[in-house]
Amino acid sequence: HPAAAEVISAVRRCLLTDGFLLLEIPGLARLTERVIEQCAAFHNLPLEEKELCHHSTDPFKWGGYFRRGEEPAYTKGTVSHLEDFGVSYHLALEEATRKAQMWPRRPRKFKEAVIDYLLGLSPVVDALHCALKIAFGLSDYEASDTSSLLRMLKYPPGVTGIISEHTDFEVFTLLHQTSPGLQFMVK
C-alpha cells in the first residue's frame, strides 16, 4: 500500500537522521489522562502503602514499586531520586498472565487504567515494530523477543540531577511528559 510505504520510509528517514520521531496518536488522549491520574494518585499514597507492592515483596511477581534511590543512576557515584512503578507490557496485555504482575491495592482503578491504556497502545506498538522490521530489513526480528515496560516515574519537584544522562536500551521508547525537564539529544 503506497501510504504504508510512505510511513515506513518516513520512519526510517527520521530514525537515521534525527534519531527520534514524534507520533500523534488519535484516540489515546483519554486513556493517557486516566493512566496519568491513577499514577499520580499512586505516587501520592503514603510510603507505607506503596511498599505493599514493592517489587521485592513477592519473588513470583514481576514489576511493582521502586522507591527513591533504587533506580540505576547510570553514572558511578550518583543516586537516582525518582520513584517508579513498573508494569510488564506483555504480562499486562494477556488476561492469563496479569496475575504474575505486581499490582497496588490502591488506587482502586489503577490496574484497570493501566490495562486499558496498554490495550489502546498495543496496535501502535505493533505497527511500530512492523515498520522498524520492514524499514531496516530485519527479517529475523520478532517483537516478542523484546522486553517491554510501562514505567510510571515520579520525579520530585525542585531536585536537579534526578537521573543522569543515559541511553534507553529498548528498541524504542514512547514518552509522555507531564512537566518540563526531560531532554534528549539528536544524534
Side-chain angles (χ1 to χ4, degrees):
H1 191 272
E6 188 177 321
V7 168
I8 290 167
S9 176
V11 166
R12 179 180 170 84
R13 186 175 53 256
C14 285
L15 294 178
L16 289 174
T17 55
D18 297 326
F20 69 94
L21 57 120
L22 173 65
L23 298 174
E24 292 186 20
I25 307 168
L28 274 182
R30 182 63 194 130
L31 294 174
T32 302
E33 288 170 15
R34 278 184 58 220
V35 83
I36 288 171
E37 288 166 7
Q38 292 300 306
C39 180
F42 170 79
H43 281 302
N44 288 327
L45 292 172
L47 180 60
E48 300 76 33
E49 192 160 351
K50 292 186 278 192
E51 290 285 340
L52 295 173
C53 60
H54 189 267
H55 65 91
S56 68
T57 58
D58 187 337
F60 300 105
K61 301 234 184 231
W62 195 93
Y65 175 65
F66 290 75
R67 66 180 80 87
R68 262 187 181 184
E70 289 185 323
E71 268 308 301
Y74 303 103
T75 301
K76 189 177 180 175
T78 64
V79 174
S80 71
H81 296 282
L82 59 88
E83 292 180 64
D84 178 16
F85 191 93
V87 175
S88 167
Y89 175 78
H90 297 293
L91 288 179
L93 281 180
E94 300 297 325
E95 182 76 40
T97 56
R98 284 183 193 147
K99 60 184 169 280
Q101 167 67 46
M102 180 72 75
W103 296 102
R105 293 181 189 146
R106 286 187 353 152
R108 192 173 51 77
K109 295 188 178 188
F110 182 90
K111 180 178 176 181
E112 175 188 325
V114 168
I115 291 168
D116 289 349
Y117 176 75
L118 290 175
L119 288 171
L121 193 60
S122 182
V124 175
V125 170
D126 292 345
L128 276 172
H129 278 295
C130 184
L132 290 170
K133 185 174 183 172
I134 294 168
F136 294 99
L138 306 170
S139 59
D140 60 346
Y141 169 78
E142 289 298 327
S144 61
D145 294 341
T146 65
S147 170
S148 300
L149 309 173
L150 173 60
R151 298 184 60 216
M152 294 164 275
L153 308 174
K154 178 184 180 184
Y155 294 91
V159 177
T160 59
I162 293 169
I163 193 163
S164 57
E165 179 181 316
H166 65 281
T167 300
D168 285 352
F169 54 85
E170 294 84 10
V171 173
F172 56 84
T173 300
L174 301 175
L175 300 171
H176 184 84
Q177 187 170 322
T178 57
S179 60
L182 178 66
Q183 298 175 334
F184 61 97
M185 293 180 7
V186 176
K187 66 176 192 164

